[in-house]
């Protein structure tokens, strides 16, 4: 689970993580008496964009200084949970699993801070994601767009697969399956045809949704439905039949499939926009982007967002409000579109992303076109982070072939429910 997207939160941090210093970036304090606030993120690649944006903000607001703190993704959610509980969290921070903090009164009410009209400028799906019980709890920063399939043109040509075929393929547990036969053709030209794996956002949610299933309903996990069994069984069989990399590899290295694609060893790599810039920079072969496969219920994706939350316990609430307004405004948010790194959540800035890639001859429309169809929610609610942590290892064992699919899904749902209640 990436990314761009919603991954796992643990229950505890090791002593090493507790004392490890976060990476501080930004202007040092200069003794001028300016108010200093801190913004915490988990991806160092976004530091230049945020630094450029916040430098512009500081020029217009010389009484404030904003420092960017990077806490690595592997420990981000765990450390944030402990810091919020201990009253030591940064003034502002990235969040994608915000519900527990909102319910505990630890987040700034965005509508109250910025006004009820502020949300009109942001991507509606992002606003929906960060709205709970009628209140918006974070300022959307960027959205992932939908899921699509990166393809290696050279490997497709070697297997005599026309890229146009990708738009019509359909996965199915029955005799009308056209995706597996295509993967079998590709396997003659590549070590692996496709990246079926325990990947929450890019693989599991699209397959679950395109089977007609749901991950969660009314704060209860329901992916052990007949539709869920069909979807996960299809994926597990692709791994077992070696059409996809071994789960032993992908479970220990979340970047294994991406690296295999960049090395020319994987023909089709289903993923999101969050990998586009790296692929464009590092791929040494012809490649393109296609729509993801259809399933029994059509072509279904999710569209996650990342937002900046304000710490309700900050000692500088007015400074937090001003920074939130800047980061959520057209001027402050546009820096996130530089170099095509991500799709800005401010609607007025999204064309910048499309224009950047169009100028490089890359058609990014599949990431947007898939969102015209049905979407599957990635879930949420109280205890959701802990629930994902409980679910993940069970699904991992399932992909390794150690637990039958129906049994694994039933166990995972039960474990998620138990963890969410604790």
């Amino acid at each position: 689970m990436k990314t761009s997207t919603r991954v796992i939160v643990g229950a505890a941090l090791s002593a090493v993580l507790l004392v490890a210093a976060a990476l501080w970036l930004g202007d040092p304090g200069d003794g001028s008496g300016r108010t200093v606030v801190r913004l915490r993120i988990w991806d160092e690649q976004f530091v230049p964009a945020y630094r450029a944006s916040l430098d512009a903000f500081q020029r217009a607001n010389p009484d404030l200084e904003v420092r960017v703190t990077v806490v690595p993704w592997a420990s981000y959610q765990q450390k944030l949970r402990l810091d919020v509980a201990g009253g030591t969290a940064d003034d502002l921070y990235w969040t994608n699993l915000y519900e527990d903090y909102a319910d505990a009164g630890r987040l700034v009410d965005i509508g109250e801070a910025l006004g009820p009209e502020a949300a009109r400028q942001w991507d509606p799906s992002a606003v929906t994601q960060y709205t709970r019980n009628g209140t918006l709890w974070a300022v959307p920063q960027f959205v992932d767009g939908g899921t699509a399939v990166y393809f290696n043109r050279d490997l497709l040509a070697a297997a005599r697969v026309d890229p146009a075929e990708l738009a019509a393929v359909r996965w199915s547990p029955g005799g009308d399956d056209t995706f597996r036969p295509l993967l079998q053709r590709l396997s003659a030209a590549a070590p692996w045809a496709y990246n079926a794996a325990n990947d929450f956002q890019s693989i599991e949610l699209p397959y679950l949704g395109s089977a007609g299933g749901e991950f969660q309903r009314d704060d209860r996990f329901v992916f052990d439905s007949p539709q869920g069994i069909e979807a996960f069984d299809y994926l597990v069989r692709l791994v077992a039949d070696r059409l996809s990399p071994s789960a032993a590899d992908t479970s220990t290295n979340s970047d294994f499939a991406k690296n295999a694609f960049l090395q020319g060893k994987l023909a089709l790599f289903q993923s999101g926009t969050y990998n586009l810039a790296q692929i464009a920079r590092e791929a040494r072969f012809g490649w393109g982007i296609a729509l993801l496969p259809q399933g029994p219920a059509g072509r279904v994706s999710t569209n996650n967002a990342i937002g900046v939350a304000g710490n309700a316990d900050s000692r500088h609430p007015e400074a937090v409000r001003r920074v939130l307004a800047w980061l959520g405004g057209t001027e402050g948010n546009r820096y996130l579109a530089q170099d095509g790194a991500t799709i800005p959540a401010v609607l007025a800035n999204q064309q910048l992303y499309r224009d950047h890639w169009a100028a490089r001859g890359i058609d990014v429309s599949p990431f947007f076109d898939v969102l015209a169809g049905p979407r599957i929610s990635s879930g949420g609610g109280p205890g959701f982070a802990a629930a994902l942590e409980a679910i993940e290892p069970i699904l991992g064992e399932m992909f390794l072939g150690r637990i039958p699919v129906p049994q694994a899904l039933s166990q995972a749902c039960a474990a998620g429910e138990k963890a969410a209640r604790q």
Side-chain angles (χ1 to χ4, degrees):
M1 308 175 190
K2 169 86 175 168
T3 72
S4 113
T5 310
R6 292 191 161 244
V7 190
I8 313 169
V9 182
L13 267 178
S14 67
V16 173
L17 288 176
L18 282 171
V19 300
L23 176 61
W24 285 80
L25 297 129
D27 299 332
D30 56 9
S32 66
R34 293 183 295 176
T35 298
V36 176
V37 295
R38 297 171 296 162
L39 167 66
R40 180 185 301 195
I41 66 176
W42 62 67
D43 191 338
E44 193 171 349
Q45 295 182 77
F46 281 84
V47 171
Y50 271 113
R51 192 68 266 157
S53 176
L54 293 170
D55 285 348
F57 171 79
Q58 290 174 182
R59 286 192 292 272
N61 297 268
D63 60 319
L64 296 182
E65 177 182 351
V66 186
R67 295 175 178 174
V68 180
T69 307
V70 178
V71 176
W73 172 252
S75 59
Y76 186 91
Q77 303 286 11
Q78 297 170 321
K79 182 167 174 57
L80 180 61
R81 181 173 292 273
L82 290 176
D83 289 348
V84 169
T88 59
D90 297 277
D91 304 277
L92 307 105
Y93 46 83
W94 270 4
T95 181
N96 59 352
L97 299 172
Y98 70 95
E99 293 89 350
D100 289 345
Y101 305 133
D103 291 351
R106 297 301 186 95
L107 302 183
V108 171
D109 178 333
I110 301 302
E112 184 177 291
L114 304 186
E117 297 301 311
R120 293 181 179 273
Q121 64 188 315
W122 301 318
D123 191 293
S125 65
V127 172
T128 298
Q129 180 179 325
Y130 287 103
T131 297
R132 181 164 174 79
N133 298 326
T135 300
L136 182 62
W137 294 109
V139 170
Q141 292 294 278
F142 55 90
V143 297
D144 288 338
T147 301
V149 176
Y150 298 91
F151 60 89
N152 182 318
R153 292 185 183 277
D154 297 342
L155 292 178
L156 263 65
R160 298 185 179 180
V161 172
D162 188 328
E165 294 182 55
L166 299 177
V169 291
R170 169 190 173 90
W171 77 266
S172 170
D176 56 344
D177 182 19
T178 60
F179 189 46
R180 174 182 283 270
L182 182 138
L183 296 182
Q184 290 169 334
R185 291 162 60 195
L186 289 171
S187 67
W192 301 291
Y194 182 61
N195 62 312
N198 185 15
D199 180 331
F200 182 63
Q201 181 170 334
S202 296
I203 300 294
E204 292 168 343
L205 283 178
Y207 273 84
L208 182 59
S210 61
E214 298 174 273
F215 186 69
Q216 194 178 30
R217 185 189 312 131
D218 299 328
D219 289 342
R220 294 189 63 83
F221 296 101
V222 294
F223 56 89
D224 59 346
S225 63
Q227 295 90 346
I229 292 172
E230 283 188 354
F232 282 97
D233 184 69
Y234 188 89
L235 292 170
V236 168
R237 288 178 182 275
L238 292 181
V239 176
D241 292 345
R242 300 183 180 181
L243 294 171
S244 292
S246 164
D249 290 323
T250 56
S251 64
T252 56
N253 180 3
S254 61
D255 288 331
F256 185 90
K258 178 179 67 178
N259 293 339
F261 182 76
L262 289 170
Q263 293 162 5
K265 298 177 180 178
L266 179 71
L268 304 179
F269 176 51
Q270 186 166 306
S271 188
T273 58
Y274 38 83
N275 284 317
L276 175 56
Q278 183 180 0
I279 289 172
R281 185 174 61 250
E282 298 181 15
R284 297 294 180 262
F285 49 82
W287 59 278
I289 306 168
L291 286 166
L292 80 172
Q294 300 181 63
R299 188 176 278 117
V300 181
S301 180
T302 188
N303 182 19
N304 285 324
I306 298 300
V308 168
N311 185 347
D313 298 322
S314 171
R315 292 180 297 170
H316 310 293
E318 175 56 22
V320 167
R321 187 197 67 78
R322 288 159 63 186
V323 176
L324 286 172
W326 172 260
L327 294 177
T330 303
E331 179 63 21
N333 180 255
R334 71 178 177 85
Y335 292 88
L336 296 180
Q338 69 180 22
D339 300 325
T342 192
I343 305 171
V346 173
L347 294 170
N349 291 335
Q350 290 187 350
Q351 191 59 42
L352 296 173
Y353 179 85
R354 290 175 178 258
D355 291 346
H356 171 88
W357 291 112
R360 298 189 59 178
I362 297 173
D363 180 11
V364 296
S365 61
F367 294 115
F368 295 89
D369 291 349
V370 70
L371 297 177
R375 303 186 192 184
I376 180 172
S377 170
S378 55
F384 186 76
L388 287 182
E389 183 184 5
I391 290 168
E392 167 80 5
I394 299 173
L395 297 185
E397 290 292 292
M398 178 188 71
F399 273 92
L400 286 166
R402 295 171 179 166
I403 309 176
V405 171
Q407 180 183 340
L409 297 185
S410 178
Q411 289 181 6
C413 284
E417 295 290 341
K418 182 178 179 180
R421 291 194 298 267
Q422 292 177 345

